[in-house]
Amino acid sequence: MGSVVRPYRRVLVKLSGEALAAPDGYWLHPQTLAELAADVAATVETGIELAIVIGGGNIMRGARMSQAGWIDRPTADSMGMMATVMNSLALETALNAAGVSARTMSAVSMPTICETYARQPALHYLDRGQVVVLAGGTGNPFFTTDTAAVLRAAELRCEAVLKATQVDGVYSSDPKTDPDAKRYDRLTHDEAIQRDLKVMDTAAFALARESRLTVIVGSVHSPSSVRAILNREAASTVVAP
């Protein structure tokens, strides 16, 4: 038998914080974390190197809080960054329990809690086969975790960004409300921006276009998974140059 050809060598996975929430609304669901960790373990076993960026929307969203008017956007975004650190530490713990060597690195310096993000050490961990969980967004207000994901992917020599969402790709409209919504198999960055497809913010798509990074959009909910999407066994939309 010939050797297995992996579609990607190194990928950054962008997860929403809401994906970790329990059905009763509590901000973390242990079973979901365990299932996600098992999925990541299965992906790593195929030889794909993974970095992960996770949002904090299950705890709070800085933009939404600032819109309420009683707190300014930079302060609210700083609180949101700390929420991503909490989620990242929880995911790191679940990954370690699943037998995956993982390390949380935060763009917001918290040296007594986790390592501060720096590019060279992160590259070193990835080269050793460790999963790097990247917390704190970009470390700056006004930037989403989508933009942070593309930025880190470009920095860390990733070949693709997997945006793990609630649906199995990019649609022409919301498939939950429009039965005629069309799923795209493939788009260019320009098409995604021009059609104002809301799967990632415009700044993230623009940075991906500039960096010539492939963006894959798919669902991590059963029967799909990170492993299945990256090994082309599950439906997804590929956004590429």
Side-chain angles (χ1 to χ4, degrees):
M1 293 180 63
S3 60
V4 176
V5 178
R6 297 189 301 272
Y8 302 101
R9 184 181 66 87
R10 179 176 294 172
V11 176
L12 188 141
V13 179
K14 166 58 173 60
L15 296 166
S16 68
E18 288 93 335
L20 303 184
D24 62 3
Y26 187 70
W27 67 282
L28 275 180
H29 189 217
Q31 181 179 343
T32 298
L33 275 168
E35 290 172 354
L36 177 59
D39 184 11
V40 170
T43 305
V44 171
E45 285 176 1
T46 69
I48 299 174
E49 298 168 359
L50 290 183
I52 299 173
V53 167
I54 190 162
N58 56 322
I59 303 173
M60 66 156 292
R61 286 186 176 276
R64 187 177 300 166
M65 179 171 282
S66 68
Q67 288 170 0
W70 62 275
I71 190 168
D72 61 70
R73 177 68 182 270
T75 302
D77 280 356
S78 295
M79 296 167 68
M81 290 177 215
M82 288 187 280
T84 71
V85 175
M86 288 189 276
N87 281 339
S88 296
L89 291 171
L91 180 57
E92 177 193 4
T93 300
L95 289 169
N96 288 335
V100 178
S101 178
R103 196 174 193 101
T104 296
M105 303 183 81
S106 173
V108 180
S109 183
M110 300 182 181
T112 61
I113 295 174
C114 61
E115 186 174 349
T116 302
Y117 172 77
R119 178 173 177 265
Q120 291 299 336
L123 285 168
H124 177 64
Y125 299 141
L126 288 168
D127 287 340
R128 290 197 315 195
Q130 293 180 277
V131 173
V132 180
V133 185
L134 299 158
T138 66
N140 302 103
F142 301 105
F143 291 95
T144 67
T145 48
D146 280 350
T147 301
V150 176
L151 172 64
R152 296 291 180 243
E155 287 183 321
L156 298 176
R157 304 173 190 153
C158 295
E159 296 169 351
V161 175
L162 168 57
K163 173 71 181 287
T165 67
Q166 306 300 312
V167 292
D168 61 354
V170 179
Y171 283 78
S172 56
S173 57
D174 188 348
K176 295 178 181 178
T177 58
D178 182 2
D180 296 321
K182 173 189 174 185
R183 185 177 66 81
Y184 301 104
D185 288 324
R186 192 174 184 89
L187 292 163
T188 66
H189 297 106
D190 285 334
E191 287 171 335
I193 294 170
Q194 290 165 5
R195 296 178 190 180
D196 196 25
L197 300 172
K198 300 295 187 182
V199 69
M200 290 182 86
D201 63 77
T202 303
F205 268 133
L207 181 56
R209 178 180 60 186
E210 181 180 336
S211 305
R212 301 192 65 78
L213 262 172
T214 296
V215 177
I216 308 159
V217 182
S219 170
V220 291
H221 298 294
S222 181
S224 189
S225 66
V226 170
R227 186 203 59 77
I229 293 168
L230 293 182
N231 284 281
R232 299 172 180 167
E233 298 166 0
S236 66
T237 299
V238 175
V239 184

